[in-house]
Amino acid sequence: MERWLARILLLLIAVCAEPLYAAVGSCKANFENGIQSHFTGNAANKGVIDFGTDAQLLNGSSRVLQANAVRKNGGSKLATCGDADCRASSAPTAAPMQDPGPFPATWEYRSTLTLGSWEQQTLTAHDGHEYASVTLGYKATLTVNGGGINYHIESLTMDSESVLRLAAGDYWVGTLTTNHLARIEVIGSGQVRLFVRDRLNVGSSVRFNSPDIGTAGDADKLFIYAYEEISLNNGATISGY
């Protein structure tokens, strides 16, 4: 009888404990809100969320963010959490990790795709899914409808006002460059998972899965996993996790 009780107790502990890992793209397991920064220790400059001038988190679950500190640029006229300023949790807790494994060796691919200014093209599963480079010219539009297959791209460059329309699936991009007013749109149902190897610097007024600058789209449709740092320039808007 005691052995059975011990087994039941262990089972309950296993079920109730926070998982160490969450499924990659399982956003609700990782984000109590739209942004977080976890750190344990005494370093004052760690675990900080720093809002630049008029930067905002919209449609969050609350104004409390999982972080040691939340800072706001003194020149901002907008509240960081929409109608009021965000604040740090009194006891930030770590979320389970997501681990997609090592980034694949996209450097070995040789195929290239270049769209000139205003040009439009659609890729399907029959057009190949491994590229050394994909370049979108000024106001070019590329639609990728690959039926859920994985795409691997070493270098993806989006010129000003170009549009990349992605159907649900996984997209592994070594270097992603987005220029002023470029857009990434999620089309159809399902989730786009975007994995970026190098530092991701989102250009000014660039929109990811967002109908307009400063306007939120359906965040569940876009998941971004960055192996390095992510930074957003002025006016950039991302609706996703």
Side-chain angles (χ1 to χ4, degrees), residues 72-137:
K72 175 184 177 181
N73 185 285
S76 292
K77 297 179 180 178
L78 301 178
T80 53
C81 270
D83 57 350
D85 282 332
C86 307
R87 66 180 188 274
S89 169
S90 58
T93 58
M97 294 177 288
Q98 299 198 20
D99 183 11
F103 194 88
T106 53
W107 54 265
E108 62 187 7
Y109 302 130
R110 295 292 178 264
S111 297
T112 62
L113 174 64
T114 300
L115 273 64
S117 298
W118 302 90
E119 189 174 352
Q120 299 185 16
Q121 186 170 335
T122 298
L123 291 181
T124 68
H126 301 292
D127 297 314
H129 55 95
E130 297 172 343
Y131 293 88
S133 66
V134 175
T135 303
L136 278 61

Side-chain angles (χ1 to χ4, degrees), residues 4 119 152 241:
W4 281 106
E119 189 174 352
H152 297 83
Y241 290 88

Side-chain angles (χ1 to χ4, degrees), residues 29-85:
N30 283 84
F31 292 92
E32 293 188 13
N33 211 314
I35 188 171
Q36 61 190 19
S37 180
H38 296 297
F39 178 77
T40 56
N42 297 319
N45 62 335
K46 299 293 184 180
V48 175
I49 297 173
D50 193 348
F51 286 87
T53 304
D54 288 338
Q56 291 183 292
L57 171 67
L58 302 178
N59 296 347
S61 59
S62 74
R63 300 189 193 103
V64 179
L65 305 183
Q66 292 294 321
N68 278 356
V70 176
R71 298 172 183 168
K72 175 184 177 181
N73 185 285
S76 292
K77 297 179 180 178
L78 301 178
T80 53
C81 270
D83 57 350
D85 282 332

